[in-house]
Amino acid sequence: AQSVTQLDSQVPVFEEAPVELRCNYSSSVSVYLFWYVQYPNQGLQLLLKYLSGSTLVESINGFEAEFNKSQTSFHLRKPSVHISDTAEYFCAVSEGNTPLVFGKGTRLSVIA
Amino acid sequence: EPEVTQTPSHQVTQMGQEVILRCVPISNHLYFYWYRQILGQKVEFLVSFYNNEISEKSEIFDDQFSVERPDGSNFTLKIRSTKLEDSAMYFCASRWAGLANNEQFFGPGTRLTVL
């Protein structure tokens, strides 16, 4: 069975500092990996996804994640965060057409 | 840009009452999902729906839950007799059948509070 572990429940970081949100997964087959973001009082928005090909994927707002098969990880990074990045970030995995399995989420708090 | 919509945004009900949560998926999508998120916990899968029938459900989705696509646009989740532990944010999601990558588009959620 698939599972997702997000080791950090909360990550405070100063504005313009770099950040890494960790995600590890377990699966017995090839997977699709996703990062969703949830801003306060809003729904889930897809931030970026890994399907196949290049192991480094990027979002339009400066986030990137790297799929590491040997370490079964899909960590999310941003070199310089902004106040507007304050949100809850969820890592999720699926095996083809299976439902998404989510991690518990990491609350990113950007401090001015 | 097309989006998934959900109504109501917040529903308060008494324990034992029936509730119906409504979703309008993106118009050309064919797979539909319900997930829930209990406060402070992770998002959990409830049920998936395709071709007018349930394609998969989790152990959470017991006999108290049902889903329906009553017309060409709405997708509903019914809880027959609500319990305190049903209090959660309920998310609807949809995806196009042609996508093998399982990219699901989520609605803004309905916060259900059972008193």
Side-chain angles (χ1 to χ4, degrees), chain B residues 13-71:
Chain B
T13 190
Q14 295 291 324
M15 189 170 56
Q17 294 296 305
E18 175 184 286
V19 295
I20 298 176
L21 310 183
R22 291 181 168 80
C23 168
V24 179
I26 295 174
S27 62
N28 63 344
H29 285 189
L30 298 179
Y31 280 91
F32 313 113
Y33 304 84
W34 284 102
Y35 292 82
R36 79 171 185 190
Q37 182 184 27
I38 295 172
L39 186 64
Q41 299 186 26
K42 63 181 176 181
V43 179
E44 302 172 291
F45 166 72
L46 292 178
V47 65
S48 59
F49 192 85
Y50 173 71
N51 200 26
N52 285 321
E53 62 182 20
I54 291 173
S55 50
E56 190 169 349
K57 61 182 180 179
S58 72
E59 59 187 22
I60 302 169
F61 194 87
D62 61 23
D63 292 342
Q64 292 299 311
F65 292 89
S66 62
V67 289
E68 192 178 30
R69 188 155 164 80
D71 52 42

Side-chain angles (χ1 to χ4, degrees), chain A residues 22-77:
Chain A
R22 294 179 292 171
C23 171
N24 288 88
Y25 69 93
S26 67
S27 173
S28 58
V29 298
S30 296
V31 296
Y32 301 128
L33 293 157
F34 305 84
W35 275 100
Y36 282 85
V37 59
Q38 184 179 31
Y39 297 104
N41 300 314
Q42 295 189 29
L44 297 168
Q45 300 176 32
L46 181 66
L47 186 61
L48 45 74
K49 61 188 178 186
Y50 169 78
L51 310 175
S52 64
S54 173
T55 58
L56 184 65
V57 291
E58 298 177 351
S59 72
I60 58 173
N61 56 354
F63 282 93
E64 65 179 30
E66 186 160 19
F67 170 56
N68 188 318
K69 189 174 182 179
S70 63
Q71 296 186 9
T72 59
S73 68
F74 191 55
H75 301 330
L76 181 69
R77 302 183 184 95

Side-chain angles (χ1 to χ4, degrees), chain B residues 90-101:
Chain B
Y90 288 81
F91 292 105
C92 173
S94 70
R95 72 174 178 94
W96 180 42
L99 284 170
N101 60 29

